[in-house]
Amino acid sequence: MSFIKESENYLKDVINKCGYEIDDVTLESSSRRDLGEFQINVAMPLAKKYGKNPLEIAKEIVSSIDNRFTNINIAGPGFINLTINDDFLIENINLAIDNFDVLIDKEEEKTIIIDYGGANAAKELHVGHMRPANIGESLKRLAKLLGNKVIGDVHLGDLGRQSGMVISEIKRRKPDLCYFDPNYKGKYPKLEITPYELSVYYPAASNACKEDEERLEEVRNITALVEEGKEPYISMWKDIVEVSANEIKRVYDYLNCNFDLWEGELSSLNYIEPTLEILKPYMYESNGAMVIDVKKDDDKVEIPPLIVIKNNGASIYATRDLATIYSRVKNYNPDEIWYIADIRQSMYFKQVFRASYKSGLVRKDVKLAHYYNGTMNGKDGKPYKTRDGGVLSLNSLLKQIEEELNKKMDKFDNDEEKRNILDKLIVSAVKFADLLPYRSTDYIFDIEKFCSFDGKTGPYILYTMVRIKSILKKQNIEKYEIKSIYSETEKNIYIKLIELSKILKNSYNEKTLSYICEYLFDICSLFNKFYAETNILNEKDDDKRNTYLSMLKLIYNTCEKLLDILAIEIPDRM
Ligand code: ARG
């Protein structure tokens, strides 16, 4: 349990013993450090409840608090200011050097499935795919750290128009393949297709369809055959998806986004039948399609019925999400399913969730939630585009970041080492920039800013970590122990460290990594201030020097854990 939580429990106990019933006490960080590091605001609500004078209650409480707090004073109508006793703080902070768990509070264990990434097979990953992947990955790591059982699923978009596009293009370019021979009688072989061919075929077909109605019709027909599971198309498409998924995985791996499951729309087809069986009593026909009403009386906006089966009898995106929910419930019995996808899908998810609850596809106590992400925009405030107005591929974005960071890597002559450090820097730059803004807010793409070694950036954090690491390496300490607090900055660092539990809680509750990024920046800035003020290694007093190094160790261990949540790795040097 965290120090903060423990102190809150202690204060609750004190208040109860004074004869006042109270559910929770929150230790708020104070902005007026001169008055106290923390503040509790309980006297006013208790005064109301018990019909007493708040000052009186505050005085009673204050006189019962033991010496773990000092400088206890009452401000205004009854705010209680508290400062942590140094010895008590040191005692607690020492526990945290090797045990991160004393800085955090675990959640009640739940099984959570996170649906994130959302790449589409046969299409290149573009910049829009980065944020849901980064946020989902970090929320997964955070939820795990807090004690949940978490399963990440990429939910590939591996059905749809792109299947018809790619196969029609293969037909054009390699008409002699046996798949296109109506008289072919043998067993169909595995389709050979390279990642390069794939990257060319989809855009070629997509362009051709823009001007050619007949071609588009062909694409539609092939797509329908794939979706109906007709051979050889379905097998061809599965072979294409396999090659494409490998390419997609490479980019996600590079960003340290690792999925437990590589399921998708295609794999959900196995569950369509039992899903429709459950939905059947709630579906009705509308213009030839089968739909479910999902509106409610108190809706402020019109929520249209969800189409479950198209008028040609085929399944669609929604059918596959419903079938995926069915399979997740059946296979994992989750308490919660989180969807990380951008805001444009909000209405869609609302419809799908309502249809799921209404039909009993999921129990009412299973939480289905869409935690939407804001987008990365250009300077014009619109989703980022290339100079010619196209969508930027994720690979090209990473290349641009690489070019910028490469300018700062002159001092390295060992190519292998340089590559390794550069990769870690690139990942830190894009991920930190992507996770720093509040989850649902947009942000502006600015390579120079993201790659700077100063300010709220990944490279700044890594630079600080490497600095600490190299100091620690120069010293051999048997037992890390903080003996005393020698300066204001040190005290501020310790207070910051014990506040971590609150940061993680807020991040988890609001499903945003922004608080963790800001916190990392604050800790690094405090450390750099300390570093400028202090001659750490040349300190002659052993106790002092050991204390400094122990504090560095604690900062390093804590930040390493937090960077691991962000899926950012620390290089050995920079
Ligand atoms: N592939 C989808 C897209 O590109 C995102 C998938 C989101 N997840 C889901 N279960 N529908 O828009």
Side-chain angles (χ1 to χ4, degrees):
M1 194 192 310
S2 73
F3 175 77
I4 297 275
K5 183 98 223 129
E6 203 181 30
S7 300
E8 288 172 343
N9 287 346
Y10 164 76
L11 289 166
K12 184 182 156 185
D13 225 44
V14 167
I15 296 166
N16 286 340
K17 286 207 179 104
C18 290
Y20 304 107
E21 243 178 84
I22 191 158
D23 292 335
D24 279 307
V25 179
T26 312
L27 206 49
E28 315 266 10
S29 307
S30 162
S31 48
R32 287 282 311 270
R33 279 287 170 86
D34 51 326
L35 296 178
E37 286 150 3
F38 294 96
Q39 185 170 79
I40 54 172
N41 175 16
V42 289
M44 276 84 85
L46 286 178
K48 218 180 216 164
K49 188 166 158 190
Y50 288 91
K52 279 177 114 174
N53 179 344
L55 268 179
E56 213 103 297
I57 295 181
K59 275 185 200 152
E60 265 180 82
I61 295 172
V62 162
S63 66
S64 309
I65 295 175
D66 71 16
N67 58 7
R68 72 176 72 200
F69 292 108
T70 61
N71 183 25
I72 308 172
N73 60 81
I74 301 167
F79 295 104
I80 302 173
N81 293 315
L82 312 147
T83 295
I84 303 171
N85 174 313
D86 278 0
D87 291 338
F88 190 59
L89 179 62
I90 291 169
E91 197 182 302
N92 277 280
I93 212 80
N94 268 319
L95 297 175
I97 296 179
D98 299 310
N99 186 5
F100 185 70
D101 279 359
V102 305
L103 292 177
I104 65 176
D105 295 312
K106 300 259 175 182
E107 296 284 318
E108 191 189 321
E109 183 186 317
K110 287 187 185 141
T111 300
I112 301 168
I113 296 179
I114 310 186
D115 179 315
Y116 67 105
N120 296 315
K123 296 189 193 173
E124 211 176 3
L125 281 170
H126 61 77
V127 288
H129 287 114
M130 181 166 74
R131 207 144 179 234
N134 284 337
I135 292 175
E137 178 67 27
S138 292
L139 290 179
K140 183 182 79 182
R141 291 172 182 230
L142 175 61
K144 262 190 199 163
L145 185 77
L146 296 183
N148 296 287
K149 211 178 127 209
V150 197
I151 302 158
D153 181 8
V154 70
H155 196 75
L156 267 192
D158 50 9
L159 272 178
R161 187 68 60 81
Q162 70 267 42
S163 63
M165 294 271 186
V166 176
I167 294 175
S168 82
E169 192 63 25
I170 299 175
K171 194 170 174 184
R172 223 51 31 154
R173 296 184 186 225
K174 301 179 180 177
D176 298 334
L177 287 178
C178 65
Y179 314 101
F180 308 115
D181 174 2
N183 299 318
Y184 183 76
K185 289 277 171 331
K187 191 172 174 293
Y188 289 112
K190 195 174 166 83
L191 174 73
E192 304 285 343
I193 185 163
T194 64
Y196 174 74
E197 285 172 314
L198 247 183
S199 71
V200 181
Y201 289 5
Y202 176 78
S206 169
N207 277 334
C209 283
K210 281 184 193 134
E211 280 127 44
D212 185 347
E213 187 50 43
E214 233 169 82
R215 175 77 186 268
L216 187 60
E217 193 50 33
E218 180 189 316
V219 166
R220 281 204 196 100
N221 288 336
I222 299 177
T223 305
L225 292 170
V226 170
E227 301 201 338
E228 285 161 28
K230 292 271 170 16
E231 293 295 352
Y233 298 103
I234 182 70
S235 292
M236 288 175 85
W237 176 239
K238 282 183 180 165
D239 294 337
I240 293 165
V241 170
E242 193 183 315
V243 174
S244 169
N246 275 330
E247 287 307 292
I248 290 169
K249 184 166 183 298
R250 243 221 305 268
V251 185
Y252 281 148
D253 278 348
Y254 186 80
L255 291 170
N256 298 325
C257 294
N258 317 118
F259 300 89
D260 304 295
L261 301 176
W262 278 81
E263 309 270 311
E265 296 188 47
L266 201 47
S267 50
S268 77
L269 293 184
N270 299 327
Y271 301 96
I272 298 251
E273 231 182 77
T275 305
L276 292 179
E277 203 54 44
I278 295 173
L279 298 174
K280 210 187 265 162
Y282 304 88
M283 298 197 291
Y284 66 92
E285 203 213 291
S286 166
N287 297 326
M290 296 301 283
V291 306
I292 296 186
D293 274 336
V294 289
K295 63 174 190 293
K296 289 185 180 162
D297 291 341
D298 51 359
D299 284 338
K300 300 228 164 33
V301 285
E302 158 109 23
I303 313 248
L306 178 69
I307 301 176
V308 180
I309 302 174
K310 281 199 291 195
N311 52 15
N312 64 0
S315 70
I316 48 173
Y317 186 50
T319 332
R320 295 161 202 153
D321 259 319
L322 292 163
T324 302
I325 291 177
Y326 172 89
S327 76
R328 286 172 178 165
V329 168
K330 188 172 148 72
N331 297 328
Y332 303 102
N333 190 23
D335 300 296
E336 304 190 357
I337 307 178
W338 305 352
Y339 295 79
I340 317 297
D342 87 43
I343 191 166
R344 281 167 292 194
Q345 298 203 36
S346 291
M347 174 61 94
Y348 166 75
F349 280 121
K350 187 170 264 169
Q351 292 174 296
V352 168
F353 297 167
R354 285 190 179 182
S356 304
Y357 289 125
K358 180 175 179 178
S359 62
L361 196 60
V362 286
R363 297 187 318 268
K364 296 260 182 312
D365 61 326
V366 174
K367 182 168 172 184
L368 301 174
H370 174 209
Y371 297 118
Y372 62 85
N373 60 279
T375 53
M376 185 177 85
N377 291 342
K379 297 228 159 80
D380 59 357
K382 301 211 180 85
Y384 188 80
K385 291 269 185 318
T386 55
R387 236 171 270 148
D388 56 11
V391 276
L392 182 70
S393 79
L394 190 43
N395 271 323
S396 319
L397 171 90
L398 293 170
K399 265 262 145 350
Q400 288 182 31
I401 301 269
E402 173 169 348
E403 274 163 29
E404 179 68 22
L405 285 167
N406 207 13
K407 295 180 197 160
K408 309 178 188 199
M409 301 279 294
D410 289 344
K411 70 174 179 198
F412 293 96
D413 37 28
N414 174 337
D415 279 353
E416 199 184 324
E417 186 187 27
K418 181 173 172 180
R419 184 70 249 176
N420 184 292
I421 296 169
L422 188 57
D423 282 338
K424 290 188 169 134
L425 274 176
I426 295 167
V427 172
S428 81
V430 292
K431 291 190 79 116
F432 200 87
D434 212 28
L435 297 169
L436 173 67
Y438 196 82
R439 167 178 47 81
S440 53
T441 34
D442 300 340
Y443 71 97
I444 291 186
F445 182 65
D446 184 340
I447 287 196
E448 263 171 57
K449 190 166 126 196
F450 300 169
C451 296
S452 167
F453 280 45
D454 264 322
K456 288 183 191 172
T457 69
Y460 170 73
I461 308 289
L462 290 191
Y463 188 79
T464 309
M465 289 300 104
V466 168
R467 175 177 271 172
I468 299 179
K469 208 190 232 184
S470 83
I471 298 172
L472 287 171
K473 233 189 252 164
K474 289 190 190 113
Q475 199 75 26
N476 206 348
I477 292 201
E478 256 169 47
K479 184 172 184 289
Y480 287 104
E481 192 185 351
I482 291 155
K483 301 261 201 258
S484 183
I485 300 175
Y486 303 99
S487 72
E488 183 74 26
T489 310
E490 287 160 58
K491 176 103 193 219
N492 288 338
I493 289 175
Y494 298 138
I495 297 286
K496 195 84 203 167
L497 284 165
I498 59 167
E499 282 171 351
L500 179 64
S501 58
K502 281 168 170 285
I503 302 295
L504 294 189
K505 190 169 190 59
N506 292 343
S507 278
Y508 185 75
N509 287 345
E510 296 173 42
K511 310 290 183 278
T512 180
L513 288 309
S514 46
Y515 301 136
I516 297 180
C517 292
E518 295 280 357
Y519 181 87
L520 271 166
F521 174 74
D522 289 347
I523 281 271
C524 288
S525 307
L526 278 170
F527 163 75
N528 283 318
K529 181 166 186 285
F530 171 78
Y531 180 77
E533 291 167 356
T534 322
N535 201 335
I536 304 172
L537 290 174
N538 290 335
E539 175 57 55
K540 295 281 177 311
D541 180 330
D542 283 346
D543 274 355
K544 262 193 179 178
R545 196 181 54 254
N546 280 357
T547 293
Y548 294 160
L549 291 164
S550 303
M551 181 179 77
L552 263 57
K553 179 82 179 157
L554 177 58
I555 295 175
Y556 187 87
N557 286 358
T558 307
C559 290
E560 190 182 36
K561 287 271 189 204
L562 299 181
L563 284 168
D564 187 57
I565 295 176
L566 305 186
I568 293 175
E569 291 170 340
I570 308 169
D572 282 329
R573 66 188 197 112
M574 257 170 82

